[in-house]
């Protein structure tokens, strides 16, 4: 245990959080998307082509470097439960992702709710002041652009039909290392 006099504003040993959307982050829906995962029989090359390789490589590098706990925010939560996601990640070479799931691994949106509202509700209930990043896209990341999360530097928005790429690495690194804390503290 750390001495309270030397502890930072967050628990030093706590792992950062990564809120993860799938569409237009890892999955560009070309040629396959989330519905292809639940329809049987699966296309023969589904698992090789579901996620974009550059996005996968970038995400895996961030996971290896920062060991975040992952919370899914994707619309795929309407179709898959935790074991379904674990099977998808196993089949697509992202086994490490499901091994990083937070105990409270999902932040689903309620009907008519923004992605921002779902994430803020999760943070209110489960956040313990760990560094975090929200990894989403400009289309489905409703309410995130310009939000407090964005202003804190904890948001990485991917372009539609482009997804996650190496150009996002530094923003991911800053957020996951908690370099937003001084900005957050001063904006309260």
């Amino acid at each position: 245990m750390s001495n309270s006099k030397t502890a930072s504003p967050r628990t030093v040993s706590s792992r950062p959080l990564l809120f993860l959307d799938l569409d237009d982050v890892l999955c560009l829906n070309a040629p396959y998307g989330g519905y292809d995962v639940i329809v049987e029989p699966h296309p023969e090359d589904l698992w090789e082509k579901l996620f974009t390789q550059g996005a996968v490589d970038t995400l895996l590098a961030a996971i290896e470097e920062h060991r975040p706990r992952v919370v899914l925010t994707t619309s795929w939560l309407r179709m898959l439960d935790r074991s379904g996601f674990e099977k998808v990640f196993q089949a697509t070479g992202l086994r490490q992702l499901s091994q990083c799931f937070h105990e409270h691994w999902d932040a689903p949106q309620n009907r008519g709710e923004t992605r921002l509202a779902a994430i803020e509700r999760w943070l209110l209930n489960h956040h313990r002041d760990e560094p975090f990043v929200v990894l989403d896209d400009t289309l489905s990341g409703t309410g995130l652009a310009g939000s407090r999360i964005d202003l804190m530097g904890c948001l990485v928005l991917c372009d539609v039909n482009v997804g996650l790429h190496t150009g996002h690495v530094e923003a991911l690194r800053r957020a996951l290392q908690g370099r937003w804390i001084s900005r957050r503290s001063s904006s309260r």
Side-chain angles (χ1 to χ4, degrees), residues 8-30:
S8 69
R10 60 181 171 80
T11 305
V12 175
S13 64
S14 65
R15 290 169 53 196
L17 303 170
L18 189 147
F19 291 88
L20 180 65
D21 180 30
L22 296 178
D23 288 322
D24 288 307
V25 175
L26 296 177
C27 178
L28 300 184
N29 294 288

Side-chain angles (χ1 to χ4, degrees), residues 11 15 34 36 39 55 60 64 113 125 130 133 143 148 174:
T11 305
R15 290 169 53 196
D36 295 298
V39 175
L60 288 177
E64 184 176 321
E113 183 178 59
N125 291 320
E130 308 94 330
V133 68
R148 182 179 68 90
R174 266 193 316 273

Side-chain angles (χ1 to χ4, degrees), residues 89-150:
F89 295 143
Q90 175 73 33
T92 57
L94 282 169
R95 186 183 71 230
Q96 304 94 313
L97 194 56
S98 57
Q99 293 172 342
C100 294
F101 278 159
H102 189 280
E103 176 182 300
H104 304 283
W105 64 277
D106 63 341
Q109 287 174 248
N110 294 323
R111 186 180 191 104
E113 183 178 59
T114 64
R115 181 73 47 84
L116 173 64
I119 292 169
E120 286 180 330
R121 182 178 57 252
W122 191 100
L123 288 168
L124 180 67
N125 291 320
H126 307 293
H127 189 228
R128 300 297 175 254
D129 212 22
E130 308 94 330
F132 72 93
V133 68
V134 174
L135 185 51
D136 216 306
D137 67 274
T138 56
L139 181 62
S140 65
T142 53
L144 290 167
S147 69
R148 182 179 68 90
I149 290 170
D150 185 8

Side-chain angles (χ1 to χ4, degrees), residues 173-185:
R173 184 174 287 136
R174 266 193 316 273
L176 290 170
Q177 289 176 346
R179 289 192 258 162
W180 50 268
I181 288 178
S182 62
R183 283 193 285 168
R184 184 185 68 166
S185 299

Side-chain angles (χ1 to χ4, degrees), residues 30-55:
Y32 304 118
Y35 290 107
D36 295 298
V37 170
I38 62 169
V39 175
E40 296 283 343
H42 296 306
E44 191 173 300
D45 59 350
L46 172 66
W47 306 121
E48 292 82 34
K49 294 184 177 178
L50 182 62
F51 297 140
T52 303
Q53 191 60 52

